[in-house]
């Protein structure tokens, strides 16, 4: 017989949460879907916090909900409901009330269901990868080193705990004042490295002479890029052991893959140093993830701040789950990570209906979109086109766009969602045409892999075939 679920009396924590977010009892009760008197009884510990209230808290206040009931209990409830109500699973959808009763009465069965759902998602992702590889003629080819490293970071959730915590500790140890000065002082005093500027055409961002212990940075670099390169050089000294242990435990065999992983870990550590986990997570929550305010506060670039938001997955102190990607002028995804259910195609470009493509052509303007995937999941995404000067007329500037998004349920914590009406009509998008099952899309470039097409010469539509 399953052990009964403990009665949760943490009214004082709920009251402190309400006061911290600055809402009245009436407003809080409305957001949780309960009466004011019921909320008052919970806050006074006259009634326990039930699963339904815990679930509402997790959805309305995802960053604070773990303070009430604990991260593990809240996560178990959310994962069980997610597994049971996933509309993409070929089975009848369960009611949330039934799921909550099942979790309470049969916790072992609920955990088993979550494990099976996780396994099903992994097989679906593997199937998408195989379909994509087959359709691009890559089915027999071994993954390239950069593909191996990219997939390794995805498997790790793009969060490396040992390195992230070390970077946070180092950030606290650095001298107060301008970031660049603190980094340069640490390099000079602790590692004997001098920093100098040099002119160039922009083709080389930095150059390190180990004999002279001299780091030369291109004089045309903007301050945030200069700071990142300083941090990158510093973490290679400070966290050499930590990074070596991660590489050794990665399972990557090819020398090129291991070297690329080392570079990727240094990039990760540099970002974690410039944007220390605790302070950055708190600032992100306080600003509702306003990228411009975050980049100014931490002296980083727009892209760096977006990327860092997608890494806030520390157990017990996770941030809002975001997806992040960078897309070039040709539609290639040159950087990607997703802490959400949305997964990008491994090969080829992204869905042409995604607003990120429009953003590439309109630099320095933020575009917002509400999109729905074929599995029914809905996302609010922000996209901005960026231009990086080359430093020379003879070299064209780099033009691309970055996109950051979260599930619609987190819209209240995403300032960009204010620009659209959530809950309304959404743009139907997919991962890519090769693996998208939508059969009524005017933007389809080709049928999905493994499908059978049918052509009717007497009927004409935008797409000259149907598929099954």
């Amino acid at each position: 017989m399953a052990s009964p679920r403990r009665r949760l009396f943490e009214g004082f924590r709920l009251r402190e949460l309400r006061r911290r977010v600055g809402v009245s009892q009436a407003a809080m009760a409305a957001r949780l879907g309960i009466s004011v008197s019921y909320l008052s009884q919970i806050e006074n510990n006259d009634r326990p916090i039930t699963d339904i209230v815990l679930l509402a808290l997790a959805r309305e206040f995802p960053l604070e909900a773990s303070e009430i009931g604990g991260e593990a209990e809240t996560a178990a409830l959310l994962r069980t409901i997610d597994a049971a109500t996933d509309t993409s699973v070929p089975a009848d959808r369960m009611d949330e009330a039934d799921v909550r009763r099942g979790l309470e009465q049969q916790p072992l069965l609920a955990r088993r269901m979550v494990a099976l759902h996780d396994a099903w998602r992994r097989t679906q992702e593997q199937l998408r990868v195989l379909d994509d590889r087959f359709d691009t003629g890559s089915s027999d080819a071994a993954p390239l080193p950069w593909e191996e490293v990219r997939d390794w970071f995805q498997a790790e959730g793009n969060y490396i705990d040992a390195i992230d915590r070390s970077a946070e500790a180092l950030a606290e140890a650095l001298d107060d004042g301008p970031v660049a000065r603190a980094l340069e002082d640490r390099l000079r005093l602790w590692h004997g490295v001098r920093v100098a500027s040099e002119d160039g055409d922009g083709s080389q961002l930095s150059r390190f002479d180990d004999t002279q212990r001299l780091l030369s940075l291109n004089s045309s670099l903007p301050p945030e890029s200069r700071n990142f390169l300083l941090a990158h050089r510093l973490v290679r000294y400070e966290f050499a052991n930590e990074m070596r242990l991660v590489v050794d435990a990665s399972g990557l065999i090819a020398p090129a893959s291991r070297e690329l992983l080392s570079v990727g870990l240094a990039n990760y550590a540099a970002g974690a140093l410039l944007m220390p986990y605790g302070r950055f997570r708190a600032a992100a929550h306080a600003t509702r993830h306003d990228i411009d305010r975050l980049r100014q506060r931490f002296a980083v670039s727009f892209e760096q701040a977006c990327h860092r938001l997608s890494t806030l997955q520390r157990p017990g102190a996770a941030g809002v789950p975001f997806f992040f990607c960078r897309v070039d002028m040709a539609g290639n995804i040159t950087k990607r990570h997703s802490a959400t259910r949305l997964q990008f195609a491994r090969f080829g470009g992204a869905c042409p209906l995604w607003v990120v493509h429009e953003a590439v052509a309109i630099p320095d303007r933020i575009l917002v979109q509400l999109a729905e995937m074929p599995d029914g999941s809905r996302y609010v995404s922000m996209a901005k086109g960026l231009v990086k000067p080359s430093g020379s007329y003879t070299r064209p500037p780099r033009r691309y766009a970055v996109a950051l998004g979260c599930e619609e349920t987190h819209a209240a914590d995403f300032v960009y969602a204010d620009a659209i009406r959530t809950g309304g009509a959404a743009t139907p998008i997919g991962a890519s045409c090769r693996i998208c099952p939508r059969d009524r899309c005017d933007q389809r470039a080709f049928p999905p892999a493994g499908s059978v097409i049918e052509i009717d010469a007497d009927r004409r539509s935008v797409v000259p075939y149907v598929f099954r």
Side-chain angles (χ1 to χ4, degrees), residues 189-209:
L189 297 175
W190 288 65
H191 305 288
V193 173
R194 295 179 295 113
V195 179
S197 296
E198 66 178 8
D199 294 331
D201 63 358
S203 60
Q204 187 167 267
L205 303 181
S206 67
R207 179 172 54 88
F208 181 67
D209 187 328

Side-chain angles (χ1 to χ4, degrees), residues 135-458:
D135 202 44
T136 55
S138 305
S139 57
D140 296 328
L144 296 172
W146 69 269
E147 292 173 345
E148 279 195 304
V149 173
R150 177 195 64 192
D151 292 343
W152 181 88
F153 272 104
Q154 180 68 41
E156 293 296 315
N158 207 30
Y159 173 76
I160 317 299
D161 190 71
I163 292 177
D164 214 303
R165 292 184 185 274
S166 296
E168 190 171 27
L170 176 58
E172 295 301 320
L174 292 178
D175 296 333
D176 293 333
V179 175
R181 187 182 68 190
L183 294 171
E184 288 191 38
D185 287 348
R186 183 83 176 192
L187 280 167
R188 184 182 70 257
L189 297 175
W190 288 65
H191 305 288
V193 173
R194 295 179 295 113
V195 179
S197 296
E198 66 178 8
D199 294 331
D201 63 358
S203 60
Q204 187 167 267
L205 303 181
S206 67
R207 179 172 54 88
F208 181 67
D209 187 328
D210 192 36
T211 303
Q212 300 185 43
R213 306 295 288 175
L214 178 65
L215 175 62
S216 300
L217 302 177
N218 193 297
S219 59
S220 66
L221 289 172
E224 59 269 18
S225 296
R226 180 183 174 89
N227 291 345
F228 187 85
L229 290 173
L230 289 171
H232 188 274
R233 172 55 53 179
L234 179 59
V235 299
R236 291 181 62 183
Y237 295 121
E238 300 276 349
F239 310 142
N241 291 333
E242 290 91 334
M243 291 190 290
R244 183 167 53 251
L245 289 174
V246 172
V247 171
D248 289 343
S250 67
L252 301 182
I253 305 300
S257 299
R258 293 170 64 87
E259 290 174 9
L260 274 177
L261 178 56
S262 295
V263 173
L265 291 174
N267 289 337
Y268 179 95
L273 177 59
L274 294 174
M275 295 165 278
Y277 195 100
R279 281 194 280 136
F280 188 76
R281 176 177 176 267
H285 178 50
T287 62
R288 295 180 60 215
H289 304 87
D290 188 321
I291 308 301
D292 282 306
R293 292 178 64 184
L294 290 173
R295 71 177 181 83
Q296 292 171 21
R297 183 174 302 184
F298 291 90
V300 295
S301 71
F302 195 92
E303 178 184 345
Q304 289 165 3
C306 287
H307 194 179
R308 182 57 170 156
L309 285 174
S310 73
T311 69
L312 301 183
Q313 299 303 310
R314 178 177 292 178
V320 168
F322 282 107
F323 66 78
F324 163 76
C325 77
R326 186 177 66 191
V327 177
D328 66 15
M329 293 288 288
N332 299 306
I333 300 177
T334 57
K335 185 186 291 186
R336 63 174 176 82
H337 169 66
S338 179
T340 71
R341 286 181 289 174
L342 185 148
Q343 298 298 325
F344 301 103
R346 294 297 202 276
F347 306 91
C351 176
L353 293 172
W354 198 14
V355 73
V356 70
H357 299 293
E358 184 179 350
V360 178
I362 312 175
D364 293 325
R365 177 182 168 190
I366 291 177
L367 304 179
V368 184
Q369 180 183 46
L370 177 63
E372 182 173 321
M373 298 296 290
D375 65 0
S377 56
R378 292 159 64 95
Y379 299 88
V380 179
S381 63
M382 172 278 300
K384 183 178 183 180
L386 301 173
V387 179
K388 282 195 175 182
S390 67
S392 170
Y393 174 76
T394 61
R395 297 174 57 84
R398 292 175 56 202
R399 298 177 181 271
Y400 58 93
V402 294
L404 183 77
C406 62
E407 293 200 33
E408 188 181 20
T409 53
H410 298 293
D413 290 304
F414 198 36
V415 67
Y416 305 98
D418 294 350
I420 59 176
R421 185 173 65 86
T422 55
T427 302
I429 68 171
S432 76
C433 289
R434 299 186 190 282
I435 54 179
C436 179
R438 296 190 189 277
D439 57 1
R440 295 182 181 180
C441 178
D442 293 345
Q443 295 288 335
R444 179 169 288 283
F446 29 73
S451 63
V452 177
I453 65 171
E454 297 176 353
I455 302 171
D456 187 340
D458 296 325

Side-chain angles (χ1 to χ4, degrees), residues 73-92:
E73 189 160 4
T74 303
L77 180 61
L78 289 173
R79 291 186 68 203
T80 304
I81 289 177
D82 181 46
T85 60
D86 188 346
T87 56
S88 64
V89 176
D92 292 338

